[in-house]
Amino acid sequence: MKARGAVQRANDAVTWRLPRQQQTDLMTGKSPTKTSSATKAAVATAARPRAASAGRKAAARPRLTYLIGSLDRILRRKMTDALAPLGLTLAQFTALSVLEARGEASNAQLAERSFITPQSANEVMSVMASRNWITREPDPNHGRIVVLRLTDEGREVLHRCMATVHVLEAQMLAGIEPLDALAAQEMLELFVRNLRG
């Protein structure tokens, strides 16, 4: 019934695209007047999309949030694969990057910036401290807070990994003008600020 109703609506729409005399002929049941080939083509073209829409919907563009989520998952997978041969996990690479950018951070700050739980951050820091990539010292002003800093060895490891990540980033930005890439980065930074409140 639904398909039949859709076809009827398509026919109605086509009818009102015809010249007035042909509309009258169709409504009164008279033999239609001669139709030009151009009119026939227009009628056929008008009918096709309506009839097709009865069977399926046109594909909608994905939401921006979905695209950003997809990009995040793809980047995580590709970065994990790229860092594995260098002996780093993605969480360790992110933590080293955060420490280089900030100079120092507490475990809680590092967890927030690395997108992991404080418990997971503590485990990541323990492994990196055992490899002499970071130092862990009590905060002189807050005895219960541990301050994390990057060592020279940790910085060297990070820089080796950055070369691999730059290759991946170049692949992602292929065909994009530098100014467009900068505009995209500024928009993403704004999205982060908006959602962090």
Side-chain angles (χ1 to χ4, degrees), residues 91-163:
Q92 290 168 347
F93 172 77
T94 305
L96 291 175
S97 300
V98 170
L99 286 176
E100 184 178 54
R102 292 177 62 93
E104 63 181 42
S106 69
N107 193 72
Q109 290 170 333
L110 197 63
E112 181 185 357
R113 296 290 179 176
S114 301
F115 316 111
I116 55 178
T117 65
Q119 182 179 356
S120 296
N122 194 46
E123 294 170 1
V124 170
M125 294 309 107
S126 295
V127 171
M128 293 202 300
S130 69
R131 296 179 180 179
N132 197 35
W133 293 350
I134 63 165
T135 60
R136 307 167 84 179
E137 299 174 359
D139 188 320
N141 300 317
H142 302 86
R144 298 181 63 183
I145 296 178
V146 175
V147 178
L148 308 168
R149 294 184 181 89
L150 201 60
T151 65
D152 290 340
E153 189 173 341
R155 189 171 287 104
E156 184 181 334
V157 170
L158 174 63
H159 291 171
R160 282 203 309 268
C161 295
M162 288 300 291

Side-chain angles (χ1 to χ4, degrees), residues 52-64:
S53 66
R56 60 181 174 82
K57 277 183 153 183
R61 294 186 71 177
R63 296 186 65 81
L64 181 59

Side-chain angles (χ1 to χ4, degrees), residues 175-188:
I176 299 176
E177 293 294 327
L179 285 177
D180 292 334
L182 179 61
Q185 181 171 339
E186 290 174 348
M187 287 296 100
L188 290 170

